[in-house]
Amino acid sequence: MDIYLPIANLSVNALVIVLLGAGVGLLSGMFGVGGGFLTTPLLIFYGIPPTVAAASAATQVTGASVSGALAHYRRGGVDLHMGAVLVVGGIFGAIAGSVIFKLLQAGGQIDTVIAVLYVVLLGSIGGLMAKEAWTSISAARRGIALPPGKRRHHPLVAALPLRWRFYASGLYISPLAPLLLGFATGILTVLLGVGGGFIMVPAMLYLLGMATRVVVGTSLFQILFVTAVTTMVHALTTHAVDIVLAALLLLGSVVGAQVGARLAQKFRPDYLRLLLAVIVLLVAIRMAVGLGFRPDEIFSVQQF
């Protein structure tokens, strides 16, 4: 069944979009990630303009983050103090990101920038995930116990002034560190349509040194508010949010996430991380290949 997307200005198969959302939701449920970093590239592969794909993916991530954030909040897995600082940074980052988005859009470079950023981010993160997962799997096969990682914040974070106590996270650090982290994530959310969890979670663990039990919940808390603001910013400035596309994606992702959560219980976490790393690297390679190929249709602007 074909359906017309008013903002993307093209017709798509509604079932394909729902299944795409379900596939991303399945991965989200299995691997505990937001899935936005895969939604945008897959939409681009399908033929959706990158600007519309990024803006609409942010809308879908907002809806998908609600249930996860609430579930973690009920279990005491959200540091509201830390989350508030991250949200403030994220809001200012979203505003700055919208300015960058508009400038790149006006210069005709936004599509290329989105693709390049995805190649760099997914390639680096996928490589690190694959290395970590393979190290754990190899150690388990040899019967060697890996030493537990020490929880401490980065020396640069420790050097920042104006320290606050974040009791739920077990930290006594400067609020400037999470503020800057939220700011950077806000920019990426606008440009790429991602929730930022695949960057936020490792940064909270290895840069800020947060307690593991509140990392995922606090990340989802920040993603919920920042993607909501990002959606409003896109709707008011870039006008790139296609609500029909976002609704179809959300419909599929809700169902897929439930199935993925059940499947995740049947696999070892190390193998799940390795599988996710392979998927991420394949998407990065596909994006890189797309940058080097001549497009099927060449458009030119002529002045009369």
Side-chain angles (χ1 to χ4, degrees):
M1 180 184 71
D2 288 344
I3 189 169
Y4 180 71
L5 303 179
I7 303 300
N9 195 28
L10 53 82
S11 295
V12 297
N13 189 309
L15 182 59
V16 171
I17 299 298
V18 171
L19 290 176
L20 190 151
V24 173
L26 181 71
L27 295 176
S28 301
M30 288 182 67
F31 304 119
V33 295
F37 68 100
L38 290 175
T39 304
T40 303
L42 292 176
L43 288 174
I44 294 172
F45 298 160
Y46 186 67
I48 305 296
T51 51
V52 177
S56 303
T59 308
Q60 182 239 356
V61 171
T62 303
S65 301
V66 174
S67 60
L70 285 175
H72 282 279
Y73 177 74
R74 293 192 189 101
R75 293 196 296 265
V78 178
D79 185 341
L80 294 177
H81 192 191
M82 176 68 75
V85 176
L86 290 168
V87 167
V88 171
I91 291 173
F92 282 103
I95 295 171
S98 69
V99 175
I100 297 172
F101 193 102
K102 289 288 287 184
L103 291 173
L104 292 172
Q105 197 175 37
Q109 300 299 318
I110 186 63
D111 293 356
T112 302
V113 170
I114 288 175
V116 170
L117 283 175
Y118 263 112
V119 171
V120 173
L121 287 175
L122 296 184
S124 57
I125 291 172
L128 290 173
M129 288 175 59
K131 180 181 178 181
E132 180 184 351
W134 185 252
T135 300
S136 299
I137 292 172
S138 299
R141 286 181 174 178
R142 296 196 302 266
I144 302 174
L146 292 175
K150 295 181 179 180
R151 187 173 67 85
R152 60 182 181 182
H153 43 266
H154 195 274
L156 291 177
V157 174
L160 293 173
L162 305 173
R163 293 189 175 191
W164 289 1
R165 292 198 181 275
F166 298 92
Y167 292 100
S169 298
L171 293 177
Y172 180 53
I173 61 172
S174 170
L176 294 176
L179 195 69
L180 291 173
L181 176 60
F183 184 82
T185 306
I187 293 177
L188 290 177
T189 301
V190 172
L191 293 179
L192 305 180
V194 298
F198 70 108
I199 293 176
M200 181 72 69
V201 171
M204 293 164 94
L205 285 171
Y206 302 121
L207 292 181
L208 302 184
M210 287 178 59
T212 306
R213 65 179 183 83
V214 297
V215 166
V216 175
T218 307
S219 173
L220 286 172
F221 178 83
Q222 190 262 1
I223 288 170
L224 171 60
F225 287 97
V226 174
T227 52
V229 171
T230 298
T231 300
M232 292 179 61
V233 168
H234 269 301
L236 295 173
T237 59
T238 65
H239 309 291
V241 177
D242 196 312
I243 195 64
V244 177
L245 176 61
L248 292 174
L249 288 170
L250 187 57
L251 177 64
S253 64
V254 169
V255 178
Q258 299 298 319
V259 178
R262 295 183 180 180
L263 288 176
Q265 299 174 1
K266 301 180 181 180
F267 297 93
R268 285 180 52 187
D270 293 336
Y271 287 98
L272 285 176
R273 286 202 304 272
L274 182 60
L275 178 59
L276 178 61
V278 170
I279 293 172
V280 169
L281 288 173
L282 288 176
V283 173
I285 292 170
R286 173 61 180 83
M287 293 287 286
V289 170
L291 283 171
F293 273 91
R294 178 188 177 103
D296 295 331
E297 297 180 0
I298 305 295
F299 296 95
S300 62
V301 178
Q302 296 182 353
Q303 186 174 5
F304 294 96

